Amino acid sequence: MKILKKIFYGLMFSLLFTSTFAFNIGIAPTGFYTSLDKNETHEIMVTNNTVYPMRIEIDIEKDPGWEKYDMGDMMRIYPKNLTLKPNGSRSVRFAVRGTKDLPEGEYKAKLIFRELPGASKGDVEKMKTESGEDVGIEFELLTEIHIAAYGLKGERKIGAQLTNTEIKKESNGNRKLVANFNLSGNSALAVLGDIEYLDSNRKRIKKEEVKLGITTREPKTKIESDLANIPSGSRFIKVDFKDKSGIRLGSKELPL
């Protein structure tokens, strides 16, 4: 009987400074913010959440929208490949070295933790081909986790104008808040929203502060955020947008 291996990659994008245990790999912390005015080294702990030995490759890629402000070339990884025992952990160090002539502003790199195919785990499903030949299909779910690393050279300067917002209704019935901005500063926006859900008479049903997302550094950029747990009876939504530093970016009321 021939054995054919089918590999499926489970992909997870994680946010900065949260605890993540996804699929086969655990990552903590899930990202870091570093100074590019001096040399710094950051550590991330990688854990094998399985009962099998695991090999992991660590890489750096440019994040879409940050190509002009990529800091991957300023980083060195030690080690770039790990072998972990079952339920074992090991730290990976990221040495960041900014340059004196680097323009002031915010930079970013995408860190990738990629599980590599390993030895057979014995999960084989038998099947017959059209010719009647017996084959075994081995399925292997591999994890790939993307996390963000940000760096700041000099002072972070916010310059932004809210240009357009909308509620996008998806085919599955979910609603997504979309906000567009024009940037004139030297950093992205880490956008928070003070959200009020209003009834048909515009009476408040619920108010909450929500982390809406992080933009790119492109001059015209946007955030998209799912609206979860919309209170029953809500007909309008009012959002006061602000950066994580507290700078107000604009306000908008939209029908739901």
Side-chain angles (χ1 to χ4, degrees):
M1 180 177 68
K2 295 181 180 180
I3 302 294
L4 304 177
K5 178 175 283 192
K6 294 289 186 180
I7 298 174
F8 295 87
Y9 286 90
L11 181 63
M12 174 177 169
F13 296 89
S14 55
L15 300 176
L16 193 63
F17 299 121
T18 59
S19 180
T20 298
F21 294 94
F23 300 110
N24 301 337
I25 303 174
I27 302 291
T30 58
F32 56 83
Y33 207 108
T34 189
S35 170
L36 298 177
D37 293 310
K38 57 184 179 180
N39 297 337
E40 291 191 353
T41 299
H42 298 263
E43 289 192 2
I44 290 179
M45 186 66 66
V46 184
T47 301
N48 176 1
N49 290 331
T50 78
V51 295
Y52 304 100
M54 178 185 294
R55 294 185 302 130
I56 298 174
E57 175 185 74
I58 300 97
D59 201 1
I60 304 174
E61 289 185 1
K62 294 181 180 180
D63 203 41
W66 287 83
E67 291 86 355
K68 296 179 182 179
Y69 310 101
D70 175 67
M71 67 175 189
D73 291 341
M74 308 176 209
M75 303 177 69
R76 296 293 180 268
I77 308 171
Y78 308 97
K80 295 191 70 173
N81 292 276
L82 298 177
T83 298
L84 296 177
K85 297 179 180 179
N87 299 309
S89 298
R90 187 174 174 185
S91 65
V92 179
R93 289 176 293 165
F94 296 85
V96 187
R97 305 289 184 264
T99 60
K100 291 183 179 180
D101 59 349
L102 185 70
E104 285 196 354
E106 197 170 41
Y107 296 80
K108 184 181 181 181
K110 181 168 64 178
L111 312 182
I112 301 174
F113 297 78
R114 183 180 295 114
E115 182 184 0
L116 301 177
S120 173
K121 297 177 176 58
D123 299 325
V124 178
E125 180 179 334
K126 295 180 181 180
M127 64 174 292
K128 286 186 179 292
T129 64
E130 292 182 357
S131 63
E133 182 182 15
D134 286 332
V135 297
I137 305 295
E138 181 177 350
F139 294 90
E140 185 174 6
L141 177 64
L142 300 180
T143 302
E144 183 174 307
I145 298 179
H146 298 183
I147 68 175
Y150 291 89
L152 180 62
K153 173 72 174 182
E155 182 181 354
R156 181 174 184 259
K157 298 175 183 178
I158 302 297
Q161 179 182 7
L162 178 67
T163 58
N164 183 54
T165 60
E166 64 174 321
I167 301 295
K168 184 186 296 183
K169 297 182 181 179
E170 301 181 319
S171 58
N172 59 7
N174 292 340
R175 289 174 172 82
K176 182 172 289 187
L177 174 64
V178 182
N180 295 271
F181 300 90
N182 286 344
L183 298 187
S184 57
N186 66 3
S187 75
L189 299 175
V191 185
L192 305 177
D194 289 326
I195 296 180
E196 291 185 77
Y197 292 98
L198 310 174
D199 64 15
S200 57
N201 296 317
R202 288 181 169 77
K203 182 178 179 181
R204 183 196 296 174
I205 299 175
K206 179 183 177 181
K207 183 177 181 179
E208 60 182 351
E209 182 182 81
V210 178
K211 295 180 181 179
L212 297 176
I214 301 175
T215 70
T216 67
R217 276 194 63 180
E218 294 177 327
K220 296 184 181 296
T221 187
K222 66 179 179 179
I223 57 99
E224 295 189 11
S225 180
D226 292 326
L227 294 175
N229 303 318
I230 298 176
S232 176
S234 298
R235 296 294 180 268
F236 299 92
I237 183 174
K238 182 181 178 182
V239 186
D240 291 324
F241 297 93
K242 60 185 178 183
D243 179 70
K244 68 177 182 181
S245 61
I247 295 176
R248 292 192 170 277
L249 304 170
S251 180
K252 190 71 175 181
E253 182 182 295
L254 299 164
L256 288 171

